[in-house]
Amino acid sequence: MKSVKTFLLIGLWVLVQECVKCHGGEETSVQPKHVNPCCYYPCQHWGICVRHGLVRYECDCTRTGYYGENCTIPEFWTRIYELLKPSPDVMHYILTHFHWLWDIINQTFLREWLMRVVLTVRASLIPSPPTYNSKYDYMNWEAYSNNTYYMRILPPVPVDCPTPLGTKGKMQLPDPKLLVEKFLLRRKFRPDPQGTNLMFAFFAQHFTHQFFKTHNRLGLGFTKALNHGVDAGHIYGDNLARQLMLRLHTDGKLKYQIIKGEMYPPTVAETKVNMSYPPSVPPDQQMAIGQEVFGLLPGLSMYATLWLREHNRVCDILKTEHPTWDDEQLFQTTRLIIIGETIRIVIEEYVQHLSAYLLKLKFDPALLFNSRFQYQNRIAVEFNQLYHWHPLMPDSFLIDGTEIPYSHFIYNTSILVHYGVEKLVQAFSTQQAGQIGGGHNIHRVVTKVAEAVIKESRELRLQPFNEYRKRFNLKPYKSFIEFTGDKELAKELEELYGDVDGMEFYPALMLEKTRSGAIFGESMVEMGSPFSLKGLFGNPICSPEYWKPSTFGGQIGFDVVNSASLEKLVCLNTKWCPYVSFQVPLPGSPHHQQPPHAEL
């Protein structure tokens, strides 16, 4: 009897080892009675791993287009699709070359057809409704209903895995400070080859902080931005009490102060709104803004001032058109217009610049009205991690011929008023930002933020970078040299991580080899754009119920939304029109100047 038991135990051991081998595990890294088979990420092509007992698992391949034990056998139509589908690099090359072809396409119906294809393909990569959050690694009602959490694209790494990221890599991850100092810290400023400028950098920071609001008091994985999308909360506040303190309660307008004959955000002393300023800045010098941290940088205060002026300008337009409307209706309708303007600028100029596509992107919600599309959105923790683009920041700031170091730039409330919006726009539009990808380009002032992002990802147990590559239909990297394109960097990373399948999400995004002449690598584009486009077109104002003139106060308000641009945002709210763009002017081109409030 004893020999039979021994034989059975040996048989079980051999079976487990064979399972480990077929899923790419290492024999020495696991103990059979403790192994969670889902730690090997055996289920491919979006299949879901369900553990049974101690060492068994099952892959749920429902609606993945694949079948088999690990969801690896393509169905007939999946085979056809895979055969015809070009790789992301080929698609990127086509979309960024052949000017003559795109000049023709952008003037025909093909532009709208291609835009619809881009939207449906990208948006389908983001689960809606949400599937996971940071508390659970399985589907449940809480993940759907609890808006206080960021959602997650992939569930957390199981807690009982042999290594921090599953089964691959070393038992202990590298020190975050070491990673930042060794691979991310700037050695010499590397400008972005796409010509991205600081106007873009501050817009990115200003725009995203309406939905990236980690609620640290509750813990990692929680958010204060409960609307999970573009709601202009960075202008109006993320709760009703704050909104009411910022409102003038007359003609729908926001409170303001007049300095040197120009409109600026009101003071904290007047509004009693809480802002994150150091104690050295008195309340009568603190500007009260919807987002409490926007006193940090003059670039953020500049955008807050522009949107304040735009809100009050639109209120005047609606008041003239609808003299019977009360303060509340004027305010609420103007807010919808501001949200619409924001989305149009983001898609047609911001995303357009990032993509470098020659296809002219178009903000037209009607493109999706005949498609299966859900008008809801939840911000993912992976999107939050991905969007830490601190390499954009320069070594110092050049404004009106003066070089300003960080020590005199941060929390300096006088810069905005001293120079005025026009000169800041001119300065930020003509100063080049840094390249995000490729490593070694984060200024020392913000390295602590990068360290915090790495620590956060570990506490939230984000899956390895290659698992996210597969989730977004990208081929996983087979080696560090393939990943980086740099032998020395690849060697250093291999020494620290041991295996490319054990590479962490955020450091990998920052260190991945960049595309030729691009601001970052393949993964940042292929993962970031689905989040962005789903969040923008998933906004309620883009739905058939909302997207009509009456929502925006009639055709006059609808026209404001449909003609919005970065240039109009600036030039309709300033005394004179500076050069304004998300890209530095081409060499040799004069800075564009227009008379005040010229016809645009």
Short mmCIF file of all heavy atoms in Angstrom, two decimals, residues 513-556:
data_model
loop_
_atom_site.label_atom_id
_atom_site.label_comp_id
_atom_site.label_asym_id
_atom_site.label_seq_id
_atom_site.Cartn_x
_atom_site.Cartn_y
_atom_site.Cartn_z
N LYS A 513 12.08 50.44 -27.09
CA LYS A 513 12.67 51.16 -28.23
C LYS A 513 11.59 52.01 -28.91
O LYS A 513 10.45 51.57 -29.09
CB LYS A 513 13.28 50.19 -29.22
CG LYS A 513 12.29 49.19 -29.80
CD LYS A 513 12.99 48.14 -30.66
CE LYS A 513 11.98 47.11 -31.17
NZ LYS A 513 12.61 46.01 -31.89
N THR A 514 11.95 53.23 -29.26
CA THR A 514 10.99 54.12 -29.89
C THR A 514 10.89 53.84 -31.38
O THR A 514 11.84 53.36 -32.01
CB THR A 514 11.40 55.59 -29.68
OG1 THR A 514 12.70 55.79 -30.24
CG2 THR A 514 11.42 55.95 -28.20
N ARG A 515 9.74 54.15 -31.93
CA ARG A 515 9.60 54.08 -33.38
C ARG A 515 10.43 55.20 -34.00
O ARG A 515 10.68 56.23 -33.37
CB ARG A 515 8.14 54.24 -33.78
CG ARG A 515 7.33 52.95 -33.62
CD ARG A 515 5.86 53.19 -33.81
NE ARG A 515 5.13 51.94 -34.02
CZ ARG A 515 3.82 51.82 -33.89
NH1 ARG A 515 3.08 52.85 -33.52
NH2 ARG A 515 3.23 50.66 -34.12
N SER A 516 10.86 55.01 -35.22
CA SER A 516 11.70 55.99 -35.90
C SER A 516 11.02 57.35 -35.96
O SER A 516 9.89 57.47 -36.45
CB SER A 516 12.01 55.50 -37.32
OG SER A 516 12.78 56.46 -38.02
N GLY A 517 11.71 58.36 -35.41
CA GLY A 517 11.18 59.72 -35.44
C GLY A 517 9.95 59.94 -34.61
O GLY A 517 9.24 60.93 -34.79
N ALA A 518 9.67 59.04 -33.66
CA ALA A 518 8.44 59.12 -32.87
C ALA A 518 8.72 59.48 -31.42
O ALA A 518 9.84 59.34 -30.92
CB ALA A 518 7.68 57.81 -32.94
N ILE A 519 7.67 59.90 -30.73
CA ILE A 519 7.82 60.35 -29.35
C ILE A 519 7.96 59.18 -28.37
O ILE A 519 8.54 59.33 -27.31
CB ILE A 519 6.62 61.25 -28.96
CG1 ILE A 519 6.86 61.96 -27.63
CG2 ILE A 519 5.32 60.47 -28.94
CD1 ILE A 519 5.85 63.06 -27.33
N PHE A 520 7.43 58.01 -28.73
CA PHE A 520 7.61 56.82 -27.90
C PHE A 520 7.46 55.55 -28.73
O PHE A 520 7.38 55.62 -29.96
CB PHE A 520 6.66 56.80 -26.69
CG PHE A 520 5.29 57.39 -26.90
CD1 PHE A 520 4.52 57.05 -27.99
CD2 PHE A 520 4.77 58.29 -26.00
CE1 PHE A 520 3.26 57.58 -28.18
CE2 PHE A 520 3.51 58.84 -26.17
CZ PHE A 520 2.75 58.48 -27.26
N GLY A 521 7.44 54.41 -28.06
CA GLY A 521 7.46 53.13 -28.75
C GLY A 521 6.08 52.63 -29.14
O GLY A 521 5.05 53.26 -28.87
N GLU A 522 6.08 51.44 -29.73
CA GLU A 522 4.85 50.84 -30.25
C GLU A 522 3.79 50.64 -29.17
O GLU A 522 2.62 50.96 -29.35
CB GLU A 522 5.20 49.50 -30.88
CG GLU A 522 4.01 48.69 -31.37
CD GLU A 522 4.40 47.28 -31.81
OE1 GLU A 522 4.87 46.49 -30.95
OE2 GLU A 522 4.23 46.99 -32.99
N SER A 523 4.20 50.14 -28.00
CA SER A 523 3.24 49.76 -26.97
C SER A 523 2.46 50.95 -26.43
O SER A 523 1.26 50.84 -26.17
CB SER A 523 3.95 49.05 -25.82
OG SER A 523 4.59 47.89 -26.27
N MET A 524 3.13 52.09 -26.25
CA MET A 524 2.45 53.26 -25.72
C MET A 524 1.32 53.69 -26.64
O MET A 524 0.22 54.06 -26.19
CB MET A 524 3.44 54.41 -25.53
CG MET A 524 2.88 55.59 -24.77
SD MET A 524 2.82 55.33 -22.99
CE MET A 524 4.52 55.69 -22.53
N VAL A 525 1.55 53.64 -27.95
CA VAL A 525 0.52 54.01 -28.91
C VAL A 525 -0.60 52.98 -28.95
O VAL A 525 -1.79 53.32 -28.86
CB VAL A 525 1.13 54.17 -30.32
CG1 VAL A 525 0.03 54.44 -31.36
CG2 VAL A 525 2.16 55.28 -30.36
N GLU A 526 -0.23 51.71 -29.07
CA GLU A 526 -1.21 50.65 -29.26
C GLU A 526 -2.03 50.39 -28.00
O GLU A 526 -3.15 49.88 -28.07
CB GLU A 526 -0.53 49.36 -29.72
CG GLU A 526 0.24 49.49 -31.02
CD GLU A 526 -0.62 49.94 -32.19
OE1 GLU A 526 -1.78 49.50 -32.27
OE2 GLU A 526 -0.13 50.74 -33.02
N MET A 527 -1.48 50.72 -26.82
CA MET A 527 -2.24 50.56 -25.57
C MET A 527 -2.95 51.86 -25.20
O MET A 527 -4.07 51.83 -24.69
CB MET A 527 -1.30 50.15 -24.44
CG MET A 527 -0.66 48.80 -24.60
SD MET A 527 0.42 48.41 -23.18
CE MET A 527 1.29 46.97 -23.80
N GLY A 528 -2.31 52.99 -25.43
CA GLY A 528 -2.86 54.27 -24.99
C GLY A 528 -4.04 54.74 -25.81
O GLY A 528 -5.03 55.24 -25.26
N SER A 529 -3.97 54.58 -27.14
CA SER A 529 -5.03 55.13 -27.98
C SER A 529 -6.39 54.46 -27.76
O SER A 529 -7.42 55.15 -27.79
CB SER A 529 -4.63 55.09 -29.45
OG SER A 529 -4.42 53.77 -29.89
N PRO A 530 -6.49 53.15 -27.52
CA PRO A 530 -7.81 52.58 -27.23
C PRO A 530 -8.45 53.18 -25.97
O PRO A 530 -9.65 53.49 -25.97
CB PRO A 530 -7.52 51.09 -27.04
CG PRO A 530 -6.29 50.84 -27.85
CD PRO A 530 -5.47 52.07 -27.67
N PHE A 531 -7.65 53.35 -24.91
CA PHE A 531 -8.17 53.99 -23.70
C PHE A 531 -8.70 55.39 -24.02
O PHE A 531 -9.79 55.79 -23.59
CB PHE A 531 -7.08 54.12 -22.65
CG PHE A 531 -6.71 52.85 -21.95
CD1 PHE A 531 -5.43 52.35 -22.02
CD2 PHE A 531 -7.65 52.17 -21.19
CE1 PHE A 531 -5.07 51.18 -21.36
CE2 PHE A 531 -7.31 51.00 -20.52
CZ PHE A 531 -6.02 50.50 -20.61
N SER A 532 -7.90 56.15 -24.77
CA SER A 532 -8.23 57.54 -25.06
C SER A 532 -9.49 57.65 -25.91
O SER A 532 -10.42 58.38 -25.56
CB SER A 532 -7.04 58.20 -25.76
OG SER A 532 -7.31 59.56 -26.03
N LEU A 533 -9.54 56.93 -27.02
CA LEU A 533 -10.67 57.06 -27.94
C LEU A 533 -11.96 56.51 -27.32
O LEU A 533 -13.03 57.09 -27.51
CB LEU A 533 -10.36 56.34 -29.25
CG LEU A 533 -9.24 56.98 -30.08
CD1 LEU A 533 -8.90 56.13 -31.28
CD2 LEU A 533 -9.61 58.39 -30.52
N LYS A 534 -11.85 55.41 -26.56
CA LYS A 534 -13.05 54.88 -25.90
C LYS A 534 -13.57 55.88 -24.87
O LYS A 534 -14.79 56.11 -24.76
CB LYS A 534 -12.73 53.56 -25.22
CG LYS A 534 -13.89 52.97 -24.38
CD LYS A 534 -15.10 52.69 -25.25
CE LYS A 534 -16.21 51.99 -24.47
NZ LYS A 534 -16.90 52.91 -23.53
N GLY A 535 -12.67 56.51 -24.13
CA GLY A 535 -13.09 57.47 -23.12
C GLY A 535 -13.71 58.72 -23.72
O GLY A 535 -14.67 59.27 -23.17
N LEU A 536 -13.18 59.16 -24.85
CA LEU A 536 -13.68 60.39 -25.47
C LEU A 536 -15.03 60.16 -26.16
O LEU A 536 -15.99 60.89 -25.93
CB LEU A 536 -12.66 60.91 -26.48
CG LEU A 536 -11.34 61.40 -25.87
CD1 LEU A 536 -10.28 61.58 -26.95
CD2 LEU A 536 -11.54 62.70 -25.10
N PHE A 537 -15.12 59.14 -27.02
CA PHE A 537 -16.36 58.89 -27.73
C PHE A 537 -17.39 58.19 -26.86
O PHE A 537 -18.58 58.14 -27.21
CB PHE A 537 -16.09 58.07 -28.99
CG PHE A 537 -15.62 58.90 -30.15
CD1 PHE A 537 -14.27 59.16 -30.34
CD2 PHE A 537 -16.53 59.44 -31.06
CE1 PHE A 537 -13.83 59.94 -31.40
CE2 PHE A 537 -16.10 60.22 -32.12
CZ PHE A 537 -14.75 60.47 -32.30
N GLY A 538 -16.96 57.65 -25.72
CA GLY A 538 -17.90 57.05 -24.78
C GLY A 538 -18.56 58.07 -23.88
O GLY A 538 -19.40 57.71 -23.05
N ASN A 539 -18.20 59.34 -24.04
CA ASN A 539 -18.81 60.40 -23.24
C ASN A 539 -20.31 60.52 -23.57
O ASN A 539 -20.70 60.40 -24.74
CB ASN A 539 -18.10 61.72 -23.53
CG ASN A 539 -18.45 62.80 -22.53
OD1 ASN A 539 -19.52 63.39 -22.56
ND2 ASN A 539 -17.53 63.07 -21.61
N PRO A 540 -21.16 60.79 -22.58
CA PRO A 540 -22.61 60.89 -22.85
C PRO A 540 -22.96 61.91 -23.93
O PRO A 540 -23.93 61.70 -24.67
CB PRO A 540 -23.18 61.31 -21.48
CG PRO A 540 -22.21 60.76 -20.50
CD PRO A 540 -20.87 60.87 -21.14
N ILE A 541 -22.20 63.01 -24.05
CA ILE A 541 -22.57 64.01 -25.05
C ILE A 541 -22.39 63.48 -26.47
O ILE A 541 -22.91 64.07 -27.43
CB ILE A 541 -21.79 65.34 -24.89
CG1 ILE A 541 -20.34 65.17 -25.34
CG2 ILE A 541 -21.89 65.89 -23.49
CD1 ILE A 541 -19.66 66.49 -25.63
N CYS A 542 -21.67 62.37 -26.63
CA CYS A 542 -21.47 61.77 -27.95
C CYS A 542 -22.56 60.78 -28.31
O CYS A 542 -22.56 60.24 -29.42
CB CYS A 542 -20.11 61.09 -28.02
SG CYS A 542 -18.71 62.20 -27.78
N SER A 543 -23.49 60.53 -27.42
CA SER A 543 -24.55 59.57 -27.68
C SER A 543 -25.63 60.19 -28.56
O SER A 543 -25.76 61.41 -28.63
CB SER A 543 -25.17 59.12 -26.35
OG SER A 543 -25.85 60.21 -25.74
N PRO A 544 -26.42 59.36 -29.25
CA PRO A 544 -27.50 59.91 -30.09
C PRO A 544 -28.50 60.76 -29.30
O PRO A 544 -29.08 61.70 -29.86
CB PRO A 544 -28.18 58.64 -30.64
CG PRO A 544 -27.13 57.59 -30.58
CD PRO A 544 -26.31 57.90 -29.37
N GLU A 545 -28.68 60.45 -28.03
CA GLU A 545 -29.63 61.22 -27.22
C GLU A 545 -29.13 62.64 -26.95
O GLU A 545 -29.92 63.58 -26.85
CB GLU A 545 -29.88 60.50 -25.89
CG GLU A 545 -30.70 59.22 -26.00
CD GLU A 545 -29.89 58.06 -26.55
OE1 GLU A 545 -28.64 58.16 -26.56
OE2 GLU A 545 -30.49 57.07 -26.98
N TYR A 546 -27.82 62.81 -26.81
CA TYR A 546 -27.27 64.11 -26.45
C TYR A 546 -26.77 64.90 -27.66
O TYR A 546 -26.83 66.13 -27.66
CB TYR A 546 -26.09 63.92 -25.49
CG TYR A 546 -26.48 63.82 -24.03
CD1 TYR A 546 -27.13 62.68 -23.55
CD2 TYR A 546 -26.19 64.83 -23.13
CE1 TYR A 546 -27.48 62.57 -22.21
CE2 TYR A 546 -26.53 64.73 -21.79
CZ TYR A 546 -27.17 63.60 -21.34
OH TYR A 546 -27.52 63.49 -20.01
N TRP A 547 -26.23 64.20 -28.68
CA TRP A 547 -25.54 64.88 -29.76
C TRP A 547 -26.53 65.52 -30.73
O TRP A 547 -26.83 64.99 -31.80
CB TRP A 547 -24.59 63.93 -30.48
CG TRP A 547 -23.69 64.62 -31.46
CD1 TRP A 547 -23.74 64.54 -32.82
CD2 TRP A 547 -22.62 65.51 -31.17
NE1 TRP A 547 -22.77 65.33 -33.39
CE2 TRP A 547 -22.06 65.93 -32.39
CE3 TRP A 547 -22.06 66.00 -29.97
CZ2 TRP A 547 -20.98 66.82 -32.48
CZ3 TRP A 547 -20.98 66.87 -30.04
CH2 TRP A 547 -20.46 67.27 -31.28
N LYS A 548 -27.04 66.69 -30.35
CA LYS A 548 -27.99 67.44 -31.17
C LYS A 548 -27.94 68.90 -30.71
O LYS A 548 -27.53 69.20 -29.57
CB LYS A 548 -29.40 66.86 -31.04
CG LYS A 548 -29.92 66.80 -29.61
CD LYS A 548 -31.23 66.04 -29.49
CE LYS A 548 -31.07 64.56 -29.70
NZ LYS A 548 -32.30 63.79 -29.41
N PRO A 549 -28.33 69.84 -31.56
CA PRO A 549 -28.20 71.27 -31.23
C PRO A 549 -28.87 71.67 -29.92
O PRO A 549 -28.34 72.48 -29.15
CB PRO A 549 -28.84 71.96 -32.43
CG PRO A 549 -28.63 71.01 -33.56
CD PRO A 549 -28.76 69.64 -32.96
N SER A 550 -30.05 71.12 -29.63
CA SER A 550 -30.79 71.54 -28.44
C SER A 550 -30.03 71.30 -27.15
O SER A 550 -30.20 72.03 -26.16
CB SER A 550 -32.15 70.83 -28.38
OG SER A 550 -31.96 69.42 -28.41
N THR A 551 -29.16 70.28 -27.12
CA THR A 551 -28.36 69.98 -25.94
C THR A 551 -27.44 71.15 -25.60
O THR A 551 -27.17 71.43 -24.42
CB THR A 551 -27.51 68.72 -26.17
OG1 THR A 551 -28.39 67.62 -26.44
CG2 THR A 551 -26.65 68.40 -24.95
N PHE A 552 -26.99 71.85 -26.63
CA PHE A 552 -25.99 72.90 -26.45
C PHE A 552 -26.58 74.30 -26.61
O PHE A 552 -25.88 75.25 -26.94
CB PHE A 552 -24.85 72.68 -27.46
CG PHE A 552 -24.25 71.31 -27.37
CD1 PHE A 552 -24.66 70.30 -28.24
CD2 PHE A 552 -23.31 71.01 -26.40
CE1 PHE A 552 -24.12 69.02 -28.15
CE2 PHE A 552 -22.76 69.73 -26.30
CZ PHE A 552 -23.18 68.74 -27.17
N GLY A 553 -27.90 74.42 -26.38
CA GLY A 553 -28.52 75.74 -26.44
C GLY A 553 -28.89 76.17 -27.84
O GLY A 553 -29.03 77.37 -28.10
N GLY A 554 -29.04 75.21 -28.75
CA GLY A 554 -29.40 75.55 -30.12
C GLY A 554 -28.20 75.53 -31.04
O GLY A 554 -27.08 75.20 -30.65
N GLN A 555 -28.43 75.91 -32.29
CA GLN A 555 -27.38 75.82 -33.29
C GLN A 555 -26.19 76.70 -32.95
O GLN A 555 -25.04 76.33 -33.25
CB GLN A 555 -27.94 76.23 -34.66
CG GLN A 555 -27.02 75.89 -35.82
CD GLN A 555 -26.74 74.40 -35.94
OE1 GLN A 555 -27.66 73.57 -35.87
NE2 GLN A 555 -25.47 74.03 -36.12
N ILE A 556 -26.41 77.81 -32.29
CA ILE A 556 -25.29 78.71 -31.97
C ILE A 556 -24.30 78.04 -31.01
O ILE A 556 -23.08 78.16 -31.17
CB ILE A 556 -25.81 80.05 -31.39
CG1 ILE A 556 -24.67 81.08 -31.35
CG2 ILE A 556 -26.45 79.88 -30.02
CD1 ILE A 556 -25.15 82.49 -31.07
#
